[in-house]
Amino acid sequence: MLIHRLAIIGVGLIGGSLARALKRASACGRVIGCARSVGGLEKAVNLGVIDEFHTEVAVAAAGADMIVIAVPLGATAAVFEQMRDHLNDKAVITDVGSVKGTVVQAARRILGPHMFRFVPGHPVAGTEKSGVEASFAELFDGHRVILTPVADTEARAVQQVTKMWEQAGALVEVMEVAQHDKVLAATSHLPHVLAYSLVQTLARVEESEGVFRFAAGGFADFTRIASSSPEMWHDIVFANQKAILTMVERFNQELAILVQAIDANDSHKVMEVFNQAKAVRDEFSANRLKHIPVANELISH
Ligand code: NAP
């Protein structure tokens, strides 16, 4: 068995799905869950996602050989603090946070001499739903997980976390921390900022025009991710503020080009932008379908 005692700190969509996927693969022994609310943890036990729970991080982490931190980014530093003095000698720690720079900074500051056993990670898979009820074993099948080990990270720890994610069905890639945050700002964080902002724009128009009655597939496709957890996205935008603002600026420049072409009745330019974008999107869809066997409607984070 790969993991004897698995501690999942934060048994929500991601933590719960990982526990389910590892159980599906018979890759772990006992699964210990931890969160603040007992109600959610009891639900997780009833659903068979975890075997037991504790509300204190220190107790849940003690004795675990693999600890996965799957809480909102803003809670990660406090979780490091609560577990730091209660780690077993062989424990490997990893996380699933959508931004890596701030997590690595906090880990360096708080974990100190335990830093070698921490493997920063991010599964590039998710849905707009939250909580253990939304978790499912197939979430990571065929999706990428990015690990961003730093100079002090021990190779053994990286190997163990890699094996864990492979057992959960994912494809593991290693990337530099800064590169991760830049890439995700473009592919995930910008689309979420735009989706929230588009819905907000239409909500204001709704007051005078009643537009939502006429909203159809295009609106639904573009804005599904605006149903994602506001708490989670609040933490992400501040944790990756600089890279996100750079991408928003680039988006504004592209939008300005299109707006100017529309304003100037420049049909050649409008067709050029639409054709180029369609070609890129079509190629992306074709490649994606090749790699992801199930749940193609799920969007990556
Ligand atoms: P979620 O469904 O809301 O689950 C979060 C879990 O963390 C809940 O069980 C919550 O339970 C617990 N929690 C919150 N604060 C805590 C604290 N201070 N101490 C202990 N437990 C705490 O969230 P999620 O979607 O799984 O996201 C978790 C992490 O995964 C985030 O960092 C996010 O950036 C990352 N991520 C998310 C996605 C996605 O699509 N959702 C994809 C990739 C990565 P209580 O409220 O009862 O404490």
Side-chain angles (χ1 to χ4, degrees):
M1 185 163 301
L2 182 63
I3 301 165
H4 293 284
R5 210 174 153 81
L6 169 70
I8 303 271
I9 315 298
V11 192
L13 171 70
I14 300 294
S17 295
L18 178 59
R20 285 183 193 266
L22 292 173
K23 284 187 168 214
R24 176 188 65 175
S26 303
C28 62
R30 206 153 175 79
V31 182
I32 294 90
C34 177
R36 294 163 305 178
S37 90
V38 170
L41 290 165
E42 282 174 348
K43 211 179 283 167
V45 171
N46 292 336
L47 289 168
V49 174
I50 56 173
D51 302 310
E52 63 178 80
F53 65 80
H54 301 280
T55 49
E56 282 175 52
V57 173
V59 181
D65 48 334
M66 177 68 75
I67 302 168
V68 179
I69 303 173
V71 299
L73 280 168
T76 306
V79 167
F80 284 144
E81 266 160 18
Q82 290 164 53
M83 72 173 53
R84 179 184 46 201
D85 301 325
H86 305 273
L87 297 167
N88 140 2
D89 274 356
K90 296 213 170 82
V92 168
I93 310 165
T94 188
D95 80 308
V96 301
S98 306
V99 180
K100 301 279 41 104
T102 48
V103 168
V104 168
Q105 266 173 24
R108 279 218 170 88
R109 181 166 44 84
I110 299 162
L111 292 178
H114 291 296
M115 189 63 191
F116 72 93
R117 60 174 85 213
F118 175 58
V119 183
H122 175 210
V124 188
T127 77
E128 73 282 15
K129 308 230 165 51
S130 302
V132 71
E133 318 85 295
S135 67
F136 56 101
E138 298 77 20
L139 178 59
F140 309 110
D141 286 351
H143 284 269
R144 289 180 209 287
V145 169
I146 302 172
L147 303 182
T148 62
V150 292
D152 353 27
T153 319
E154 198 184 47
R156 177 191 71 97
V158 178
Q159 278 161 13
Q160 277 180 252
V161 174
T162 301
K163 277 194 203 139
M164 175 185 79
W165 280 112
E166 286 173 352
Q167 291 290 313
L171 310 165
V172 175
E173 283 195 28
V174 170
M175 215 184 252
E176 294 277 325
V177 171
Q179 176 71 0
H180 169 278
D181 288 358
K182 239 176 164 174
V183 169
L184 270 292
T187 56
S188 170
H189 308 168
L190 176 68
H192 278 80
V193 167
L194 297 183
Y196 280 121
S197 174
L198 177 68
V199 174
Q200 185 73 343
T201 306
L202 264 67
R204 294 195 198 289
V205 178
E206 165 75 6
E207 285 162 24
S208 54
E209 314 278 345
V211 289
F212 282 128
R213 276 190 296 137
F214 305 102
F219 174 78
D221 286 350
F222 193 103
T223 60
R224 179 179 57 80
I225 54 177
S227 285
S228 302
S229 157
E231 181 195 14
M232 184 173 106
W233 281 95
H234 163 277
D235 291 359
I236 291 172
V237 298
F238 290 113
N240 205 20
Q241 188 185 47
K242 199 162 161 253
I244 292 173
L245 292 180
T246 301
M247 279 315 304
V248 170
E249 183 54 38
R250 288 187 68 160
F251 174 79
N252 282 339
Q253 287 163 8
E254 291 297 332
L255 184 63
I257 291 170
L258 183 57
V259 168
Q260 197 190 358
I262 295 170
D263 187 46
N265 293 313
D266 184 346
S267 71
H268 175 75
K269 185 70 196 170
V270 168
M271 282 305 288
E272 182 186 293
V273 171
F274 288 177
N275 278 323
Q276 281 174 358
K278 175 173 163 46
V280 172
R281 177 63 166 92
D282 288 350
E283 195 186 338
F284 165 77
S285 295
N287 286 336
R288 193 160 188 258
L289 284 170
K290 268 190 243 153
H291 293 299
I292 302 173
V294 292
N296 282 310
E297 79 281 10
L298 303 177
I299 198 146
S300 299
H301 270 266

Short mmCIF file of all heavy atoms in Angstrom, two decimals, residues 188-202 219-228:
data_model
loop_
_atom_site.label_atom_id
_atom_site.label_comp_id
_atom_site.label_asym_id
_atom_site.label_seq_id
_atom_site.Cartn_x
_atom_site.Cartn_y
_atom_site.Cartn_z
N SER A 188 -6.62 30.24 -15.87
CA SER A 188 -7.69 29.99 -14.90
C SER A 188 -8.15 31.26 -14.18
O SER A 188 -9.35 31.54 -14.10
CB SER A 188 -7.20 28.96 -13.88
OG SER A 188 -8.11 28.87 -12.81
N HIS A 189 -7.19 32.03 -13.68
CA HIS A 189 -7.59 33.15 -12.83
C HIS A 189 -8.24 34.26 -13.65
O HIS A 189 -9.25 34.83 -13.24
CB HIS A 189 -6.38 33.66 -12.03
CG HIS A 189 -5.68 32.54 -11.27
ND1 HIS A 189 -4.46 32.66 -10.67
CD2 HIS A 189 -6.07 31.25 -11.02
CE1 HIS A 189 -4.12 31.51 -10.09
NE2 HIS A 189 -5.08 30.64 -10.30
N LEU A 190 -7.66 34.58 -14.83
CA LEU A 190 -8.29 35.59 -15.70
C LEU A 190 -9.72 35.18 -16.09
O LEU A 190 -10.65 35.97 -15.94
CB LEU A 190 -7.42 35.86 -16.94
CG LEU A 190 -8.03 36.84 -17.95
CD1 LEU A 190 -8.10 38.26 -17.38
CD2 LEU A 190 -7.24 36.84 -19.26
N PRO A 191 -9.93 33.95 -16.60
CA PRO A 191 -11.31 33.57 -16.94
C PRO A 191 -12.29 33.69 -15.77
O PRO A 191 -13.45 34.09 -15.96
CB PRO A 191 -11.19 32.10 -17.37
CG PRO A 191 -9.78 31.95 -17.84
CD PRO A 191 -8.96 32.92 -17.02
N HIS A 192 -11.84 33.38 -14.56
CA HIS A 192 -12.76 33.52 -13.42
C HIS A 192 -13.07 34.98 -13.14
O HIS A 192 -14.23 35.33 -12.88
CB HIS A 192 -12.17 32.83 -12.17
CG HIS A 192 -12.41 31.35 -12.16
ND1 HIS A 192 -11.64 30.47 -12.88
CD2 HIS A 192 -13.36 30.59 -11.54
CE1 HIS A 192 -12.09 29.24 -12.70
NE2 HIS A 192 -13.14 29.28 -11.89
N VAL A 193 -12.06 35.83 -13.20
CA VAL A 193 -12.30 37.26 -12.97
C VAL A 193 -13.28 37.79 -14.02
O VAL A 193 -14.22 38.52 -13.71
CB VAL A 193 -10.95 38.04 -13.01
CG1 VAL A 193 -11.19 39.54 -13.10
CG2 VAL A 193 -10.11 37.70 -11.78
N LEU A 194 -13.09 37.38 -15.27
CA LEU A 194 -13.97 37.84 -16.35
C LEU A 194 -15.39 37.30 -16.17
O LEU A 194 -16.37 38.03 -16.40
CB LEU A 194 -13.43 37.41 -17.71
CG LEU A 194 -12.07 38.00 -18.11
CD1 LEU A 194 -11.70 37.55 -19.51
CD2 LEU A 194 -12.08 39.51 -18.03
N ALA A 195 -15.52 36.05 -15.76
CA ALA A 195 -16.86 35.47 -15.59
C ALA A 195 -17.63 36.19 -14.47
O ALA A 195 -18.80 36.55 -14.64
CB ALA A 195 -16.76 33.97 -15.28
N TYR A 196 -16.96 36.41 -13.35
CA TYR A 196 -17.62 37.14 -12.26
C TYR A 196 -18.04 38.53 -12.73
O TYR A 196 -19.14 39.02 -12.45
CB TYR A 196 -16.68 37.28 -11.05
CG TYR A 196 -16.57 36.04 -10.17
CD1 TYR A 196 -15.35 35.42 -9.94
CD2 TYR A 196 -17.69 35.52 -9.53
CE1 TYR A 196 -15.23 34.30 -9.11
CE2 TYR A 196 -17.59 34.40 -8.68
CZ TYR A 196 -16.36 33.80 -8.49
OH TYR A 196 -16.26 32.70 -7.67
N SER A 197 -17.13 39.16 -13.48
CA SER A 197 -17.37 40.54 -13.91
C SER A 197 -18.48 40.61 -14.95
O SER A 197 -19.30 41.54 -14.94
CB SER A 197 -16.03 41.06 -14.44
OG SER A 197 -16.19 42.29 -14.98
N LEU A 198 -18.54 39.62 -15.84
CA LEU A 198 -19.61 39.61 -16.86
C LEU A 198 -20.98 39.45 -16.20
O LEU A 198 -21.94 40.16 -16.53
CB LEU A 198 -19.37 38.47 -17.86
CG LEU A 198 -20.48 38.34 -18.91
CD1 LEU A 198 -20.48 39.52 -19.87
CD2 LEU A 198 -20.33 37.05 -19.70
N VAL A 199 -21.06 38.52 -15.24
CA VAL A 199 -22.35 38.31 -14.56
C VAL A 199 -22.76 39.59 -13.82
O VAL A 199 -23.93 40.00 -13.86
CB VAL A 199 -22.29 37.11 -13.60
CG1 VAL A 199 -23.58 36.99 -12.81
CG2 VAL A 199 -22.03 35.82 -14.37
N GLN A 200 -21.79 40.22 -13.19
CA GLN A 200 -22.06 41.46 -12.46
C GLN A 200 -22.58 42.54 -13.42
O GLN A 200 -23.52 43.26 -13.11
CB GLN A 200 -20.76 41.91 -11.76
CG GLN A 200 -20.89 43.09 -10.87
CD GLN A 200 -21.63 42.75 -9.58
OE1 GLN A 200 -22.30 41.74 -9.48
NE2 GLN A 200 -21.53 43.62 -8.61
N THR A 201 -21.96 42.62 -14.61
CA THR A 201 -22.39 43.60 -15.62
C THR A 201 -23.85 43.35 -16.00
O THR A 201 -24.68 44.26 -16.03
CB THR A 201 -21.50 43.46 -16.90
OG1 THR A 201 -20.15 43.57 -16.51
CG2 THR A 201 -21.83 44.52 -17.93
N LEU A 202 -24.15 42.07 -16.29
CA LEU A 202 -25.52 41.75 -16.70
C LEU A 202 -26.51 41.92 -15.56
O LEU A 202 -27.67 42.28 -15.79
CB LEU A 202 -25.59 40.32 -17.26
CG LEU A 202 -25.50 40.30 -18.79
CD1 LEU A 202 -24.14 40.73 -19.29
CD2 LEU A 202 -25.84 38.93 -19.35
N PHE A 219 -24.45 32.39 -22.57
CA PHE A 219 -24.30 32.97 -21.24
C PHE A 219 -23.93 31.87 -20.23
O PHE A 219 -23.03 32.03 -19.42
CB PHE A 219 -25.61 33.66 -20.83
CG PHE A 219 -25.58 34.16 -19.41
CD1 PHE A 219 -24.93 35.35 -19.10
CD2 PHE A 219 -26.19 33.45 -18.38
CE1 PHE A 219 -24.87 35.81 -17.79
CE2 PHE A 219 -26.14 33.91 -17.08
CZ PHE A 219 -25.48 35.10 -16.79
N ALA A 220 -24.63 30.74 -20.35
CA ALA A 220 -24.37 29.64 -19.40
C ALA A 220 -22.94 29.11 -19.55
O ALA A 220 -22.24 28.89 -18.56
CB ALA A 220 -25.38 28.52 -19.62
N ASP A 221 -22.48 28.92 -20.81
CA ASP A 221 -21.12 28.40 -21.04
C ASP A 221 -20.08 29.35 -20.47
O ASP A 221 -19.12 28.95 -19.83
CB ASP A 221 -20.82 28.29 -22.55
CG ASP A 221 -21.56 27.14 -23.19
OD1 ASP A 221 -22.13 26.32 -22.45
OD2 ASP A 221 -21.54 27.06 -24.44
N PHE A 222 -20.27 30.63 -20.74
CA PHE A 222 -19.25 31.61 -20.39
C PHE A 222 -19.20 31.85 -18.88
O PHE A 222 -18.16 32.19 -18.35
CB PHE A 222 -19.54 32.93 -21.12
CG PHE A 222 -18.40 33.91 -21.09
CD1 PHE A 222 -17.59 34.08 -22.20
CD2 PHE A 222 -18.13 34.66 -19.96
CE1 PHE A 222 -16.53 34.98 -22.17
CE2 PHE A 222 -17.07 35.57 -19.92
CZ PHE A 222 -16.27 35.72 -21.03
N THR A 223 -20.33 31.68 -18.20
CA THR A 223 -20.39 32.15 -16.81
C THR A 223 -20.51 31.04 -15.76
O THR A 223 -20.60 31.35 -14.58
CB THR A 223 -21.59 33.10 -16.62
OG1 THR A 223 -22.78 32.36 -16.95
CG2 THR A 223 -21.48 34.32 -17.51
N ARG A 224 -20.49 29.77 -16.18
CA ARG A 224 -20.66 28.69 -15.20
C ARG A 224 -19.70 28.86 -14.03
O ARG A 224 -20.06 28.68 -12.87
CB ARG A 224 -20.42 27.33 -15.87
CG ARG A 224 -20.57 26.16 -14.91
CD ARG A 224 -20.36 24.83 -15.63
NE ARG A 224 -19.07 24.75 -16.28
CZ ARG A 224 -17.92 24.48 -15.65
NH1 ARG A 224 -17.92 24.27 -14.35
NH2 ARG A 224 -16.80 24.44 -16.32
N ILE A 225 -18.47 29.26 -14.32
CA ILE A 225 -17.46 29.32 -13.26
C ILE A 225 -17.70 30.49 -12.29
O ILE A 225 -17.08 30.53 -11.23
CB ILE A 225 -16.02 29.36 -13.83
CG1 ILE A 225 -15.85 30.49 -14.84
CG2 ILE A 225 -15.68 28.01 -14.45
CD1 ILE A 225 -14.42 30.60 -15.39
N ALA A 226 -18.63 31.39 -12.64
CA ALA A 226 -18.97 32.45 -11.68
C ALA A 226 -19.79 31.89 -10.51
O ALA A 226 -20.05 32.61 -9.54
CB ALA A 226 -19.73 33.58 -12.36
N SER A 227 -20.17 30.62 -10.59
CA SER A 227 -20.82 29.98 -9.44
C SER A 227 -19.80 29.38 -8.48
O SER A 227 -20.18 28.76 -7.48
CB SER A 227 -21.75 28.85 -9.92
OG SER A 227 -22.91 29.40 -10.48
N SER A 228 -18.53 29.54 -8.77
CA SER A 228 -17.49 28.99 -7.88
C SER A 228 -17.49 29.72 -6.54
O SER A 228 -18.01 30.83 -6.42
CB SER A 228 -16.11 29.17 -8.52
OG SER A 228 -16.06 28.54 -9.77
#
